[in-house]
Amino acid sequence: MPNKFSGFASSLLLSIIALLLSHSVHAQIVNASPYSRYGLGDLQADGFITNRMMGGGGLGMGSSRDINMLNPASYADIQFVSFGSAIRSEFIKLANASASQTDNRTELSYLFVGTPIVKSKLGLVVGLLPYSNVGYNISTTDYVDQVGSVKRIFTGTGGVNQAFLGLGGSPLKGLNIGINTSFLFGTISKTRRLEFPDSTNFFNSRIVNTTRISDINLNYGLQWKLIDSEAKKLTLGITGSLSDDIAAKRSTLANSYTLFQELLITKDTAFYSPDEKGNISLPMAYGAGIMYEINGFGGKDKNQLAFALDIATQDWSTYKAFEETDSLQSSVKVSGGLRYRPDISDKGNYFKRSQYYTGFKYNKTYLQIHNTRLTEYGITFGVGLPVKPSAPNKAFSYANMGIELGQRGTTDKNLIQEQYIRLNIGFTLNDDSWFFKRKYE
């Protein structure tokens, strides 16, 4: 067997083992967003990098070269063994009516391995990515008569990860169905502190809630190819998940403390409740999207265009954590994008073989604070640079780079506005040499 195949197989096997044994995609994020204080935190729901470069959409996207975890029905179209990963850097400006600050962070976005079981009929994908991030540090100071300054501090860290195994198949010509079985796990820690800088008559106090999540969640998808020819494709995609109770454990600690410089020294523990068992109610979600692809206007393999448009909603008003609600609302997200490749057959012009992306998104988030519904909108751009395959492998791999410019929230009513730039850099390695018949000497 050629060394190339054995080397690739060994690398892929090691990647799968590392993926499955990874404890977490992201480390403790200190500054994700002040709005990650609510619910399960800042939800990460834009799929892989090719989805993100098209505004975070693609429910109708099915591709032999790009894994699309937003709709598991797309796994039926997988033709190559694929491995992918990406990192994301975010530069964010936070501002209210009187002040502003900037922050940045970089994290590993995802890992995945996908393989066809039966080419263009049945595919399998395993992956790991964040489900939500929590990271905030908020403080307010008020003056109270006969007490002096009263400082309130709210902090949170952690998040929820999603390790998934998905299967997609095509039981009928033009119809794909699929399911993702996800294992949600992670720890979220939220702390409330009350301090009295001007008085020695009152004890500083804090309450720490630590929630550990560990359970299975399912989502499903369908893709119906209304038009499926070499020149044109029109695909309708539908996804959904049922409401589900996720098992969790919560620990609560309440104590008083004194401050020595930046150090908190515990004086007395008023209450401690370890490992209280309960549930977190994840709400029902569903979405629909279309993708229209044109191949070869101006000649075969030239000017390949794809248009995507999605709408998705989730009823977060039913959200509960240990039977406690969080005043969340139903979310609605609209996203769309375009993918363009000038000429895949032009061997002399590298950039004509590259893929170019742009997109938009509008998100009516689940947050309503001070009677103000928070919205988010953004635009995206990206490029997929092909990596030339070596014989006998005929499958192009891609290095992908994308940028997203967006804004969430407002400075009205003493709220916080976030303006961000997100850089996504990743790769997808495709290999079809696994399916070549080999000769042994």
Side-chain angles (χ1 to χ4, degrees), residues 147-221:
V147 175
S149 298
V150 178
K151 189 175 183 180
R152 295 174 175 85
I153 304 169
F154 305 89
T155 59
T157 59
V160 180
N161 298 289
Q162 177 180 358
F164 74 92
L165 187 149
L167 189 68
S170 180
L172 299 172
K173 184 177 180 180
L175 178 67
N176 293 352
I177 58 174
I179 187 169
N180 279 329
T181 302
S182 299
F183 176 58
L184 301 180
F185 64 99
T187 301
I188 297 173
S189 180
K190 297 182 178 182
T191 302
R192 293 171 288 165
R193 291 163 54 188
L194 190 64
E195 296 182 354
F196 304 91
D198 300 335
S199 176
T200 58
N201 297 324
F202 302 93
F203 288 128
N204 302 324
S205 62
R206 67 175 174 176
I207 299 175
V208 182
N209 287 309
T210 303
T211 302
R212 296 174 179 84
I213 295 170
S214 177
D215 209 345
I216 300 294
N217 181 244
L218 303 176
N219 70 286
Y220 54 86

Side-chain angles (χ1 to χ4, degrees), residues 75-79 115-124 167-170 176-177:
Y75 304 159
D77 292 331
I78 296 174
Q79 294 185 22
T115 182
I117 299 174
V118 180
K119 272 194 174 184
S120 300
K121 288 290 185 181
L122 185 65
L124 176 73
L167 189 68
S170 180
N176 293 352
I177 58 174

